[in-house]
Amino acid sequence: VVAFGGSLLLGGAPAASAQSAGPTFTRDVAPILQRACERCHRPGSMAPMSLVTYDDVRPWARSVKQRVVSREMPPWHIDRNVGIQSFKDDLSLSDEEIGTIAAWVDGGAPRGDPADMPAPMTWREDDRFSFEPDLIVRMTNEVVVPAAGSDQWINVPMVDPGLGEDRYIRMAEIKPLSGVPVVHHANAIARRGARAGEIGPGEGSPHIVEYAVGKAGEHYPEGSGKLLPAGSQMVMNLHLHPIGEEMTADVALGLKLYPPGYTPDRVQFSRVFPFPSQLEQDDIDIAPGDSNARTDSYHYVEQPMVITAFQPHLHNRGKRQCLEAIYLPTPSPRWPESQGGPYRVQPEVLTCADFEFNWHLQYTYADDAQPLIPPGTVLHLTSWHDNSAANKSNPDPTAWVGFGQRSIDEMALMWLEYSYLTD
């Protein structure tokens, strides 16, 4: 979690009247914070300070302004100048909202009329998930991560959820209940029998959902869902990273399910790309001090599909990622197909996003903006890494970096949420 900068106190707060012409906290700023900030910035949640009341926010006012004007907070890293711009659960602030916060701070951060204060948000004391789960599946045992040593990659059995019939998942989310700093990533997997191959074609993937630092839940489009087979053997695949003190990690899976007997129109899949080849990952070649190292990956699409969400996956030196669809070439109008071309390649940038390791965000496309990908399309993923000293997350700018599973190694992957379609 990226904290706001040091506490920069303003001068003594002026006694603002309810008739203040400029923005006030109670009338103008509090509603913005409730919508976009309070889920994390509240007592007992993940952020380092609360931004619920005026007294909470006042000491941090200038830092709040700096972070929102630079669009560092709330975390939302989509490039606004290229690609699809319509997403669900977009917590980013509008230009108008940013202007309101800036004007409030510049005007002395007045409290305003208490009568203008919106009703407080209601949060459950045990609220760890971004939705209220129907089912929480725990690991059979916690894992003790020593203070020092090698990274661990382990599969921990999960408690049998006791489902007597196949069920489909509407929402899924993994949350560390303890040991957040040592959990690099986690994947929940459900298999029939001992082999993933026992799940037949079209029935779904044994992979349910992935967690990485800062990621919230996955909400699947209405009428689509992931299969959770009856009698599944469930495991939590963990990557654990020592941080200098012994810590216990406990990780849980929260699920929102469709009613028993319900079969969605489309089966939802999660998959990390490039898949199954890892050749492009072996091409990661980041020289010491290189601030803009580039890696390209390609995936050929064999079936019609609709992409519902995009999530970059890089490590500490990750900087930026773009997803492009290269459609089947068509004859140029100037050169008809009967004359043999030449053919015109049709690339389209779908999404670009900057990357911060503390925020593995999934970007879920709005229903009317989901990319439709015909067979024959090549998905082109471009990733950039910053191995310079200017990268505050860089563990060692003097080291050469290549592909690897450790946190100090690098990746250039993406998670895609998608469904297959008929022609």
Side-chain angles (χ1 to χ4, degrees):
V1 176
V2 180
F4 285 119
S7 175
L8 301 176
L9 299 178
L10 294 171
S17 72
Q19 306 301 320
S20 173
T24 67
F25 179 83
T26 56
R27 184 185 64 222
D28 305 290
V29 175
I32 299 174
L33 300 182
Q34 285 189 347
R35 180 188 73 80
C37 307
E38 197 171 307
R39 172 170 288 281
C40 297
H41 288 274
R42 57 187 170 86
S45 192
M46 61 190 292
M49 81 286 291
S50 173
L51 298 178
V52 174
T53 69
Y54 177 78
D55 291 336
D56 290 338
V57 179
R58 185 64 177 76
W60 299 95
R62 285 185 178 166
S63 291
V64 169
K65 175 191 170 184
Q66 185 271 324
R67 287 300 179 100
V68 301
V69 168
S70 64
R71 291 196 178 276
E72 295 178 65
M73 285 285 167
W76 185 263
H77 304 135
I78 290 293
D79 188 327
R80 293 171 174 267
N81 300 304
V82 65
I84 297 168
Q85 297 296 315
S86 183
F87 296 88
K88 299 178 180 178
D89 303 322
D90 181 354
L91 294 179
S92 64
L93 302 186
S94 67
D95 292 341
E96 181 181 3
E97 289 173 321
I98 292 174
T100 295
I101 292 175
W104 173 67
V105 175
D106 292 343
R111 183 190 298 268
D113 187 345
D116 292 334
M117 187 70 181
M121 301 284 286
T122 301
W123 303 99
R124 304 190 314 274
E125 290 185 5
D126 63 345
D127 180 28
R128 292 182 179 272
F129 297 94
S130 60
F131 56 87
E132 189 168 354
D134 297 325
L135 177 65
I136 297 177
V137 188
R138 303 286 294 269
M139 300 192 307
T140 55
N141 58 278
E142 300 175 335
V143 180
V144 177
V145 181
S150 301
D151 287 21
Q152 299 181 51
W153 292 267
I154 58 176
N155 288 329
V156 180
M158 301 179 72
V159 175
D160 183 356
L163 297 179
E165 60 180 311
D166 291 355
R167 296 288 295 274
Y168 282 91
I169 302 167
R170 296 180 59 187
M171 305 176 190
E173 184 171 8
I174 293 173
K175 273 290 180 285
L177 305 182
S178 63
V180 174
V182 300
V183 181
H184 176 281
H185 78 247
N187 288 283
I189 301 167
R191 297 188 177 98
R192 278 184 179 147
R195 302 187 307 277
E198 293 188 17
I199 295 179
E203 290 186 293
S205 166
H207 181 268
I208 299 175
V209 65
E210 176 259 6
Y211 163 82
V213 181
K215 181 177 178 178
E218 296 182 355
H219 298 204
Y220 310 124
E222 189 66 32
S224 70
K226 290 183 179 176
L227 175 66
L228 181 60
S232 293
Q233 296 179 2
M234 302 185 69
V235 298
M236 187 70 75
N237 170 260
L238 297 173
H239 174 188
L240 304 172
H241 178 71
I243 61 166
E245 62 176 288
E246 183 177 291
M247 192 166 290
T248 299
D250 186 14
V251 180
L253 168 68
L255 299 174
K256 175 76 75 175
L257 302 174
Y258 283 104
Y262 178 88
T263 301
D265 297 329
R266 303 200 313 262
V267 176
Q268 193 78 9
F269 294 87
S270 293
R271 180 160 289 174
V272 64
F273 287 91
F275 179 87
S277 170
Q278 203 164 277
L279 293 176
E280 297 91 342
Q281 298 303 293
D282 293 335
D283 287 341
I284 295 176
D285 184 359
I286 309 173
D290 189 344
S291 64
N292 205 41
R294 173 173 170 165
T295 304
D296 293 270
S297 304
Y298 301 87
H299 177 81
Y300 182 79
V301 176
E302 297 180 343
Q303 298 175 252
M305 62 188 294
V306 55
I307 299 175
T308 61
F310 162 80
Q311 178 191 332
H313 186 92
L314 306 101
H315 287 179
N316 287 287
R317 297 170 176 88
K319 178 178 180 179
R320 181 176 171 86
Q321 200 169 76
C322 286
L323 176 61
E324 177 184 58
I326 304 174
Y327 302 111
L328 281 171
T330 59
S332 167
R334 295 180 58 191
W335 297 91
E337 188 171 10
S338 61
Q339 298 181 23
Y343 288 86
R344 180 179 57 194
V345 175
Q346 299 182 76
E348 178 185 8
V349 176
L350 302 178
T351 301
C352 287
D354 293 332
F355 183 81
E356 291 184 27
F357 185 74
N358 287 316
W359 296 104
H360 286 251
L361 303 179
Q362 182 182 83
Y363 302 101
T364 302
Y365 298 109
D367 291 342
D368 60 353
Q370 297 166 357
L372 298 172
I373 307 298
T377 301
V378 173
L379 296 179
H380 173 207
L381 181 69
T382 307
S383 303
W384 290 268
H385 294 85
D386 181 358
N387 194 23
S388 73
N391 178 3
K392 296 178 181 179
S393 299
N394 192 349
D396 185 0
T398 68
W400 174 89
V401 183
F403 173 79
Q405 300 285 347
R406 300 175 302 171
S407 298
I408 61 172
D409 301 319
E410 268 306 332
M411 293 186 176
L413 305 171
M414 66 172 168
W415 282 94
L416 280 190
E417 290 286 337
Y418 63 97
S419 294
Y420 290 119
L421 306 175
T422 66
D423 288 336

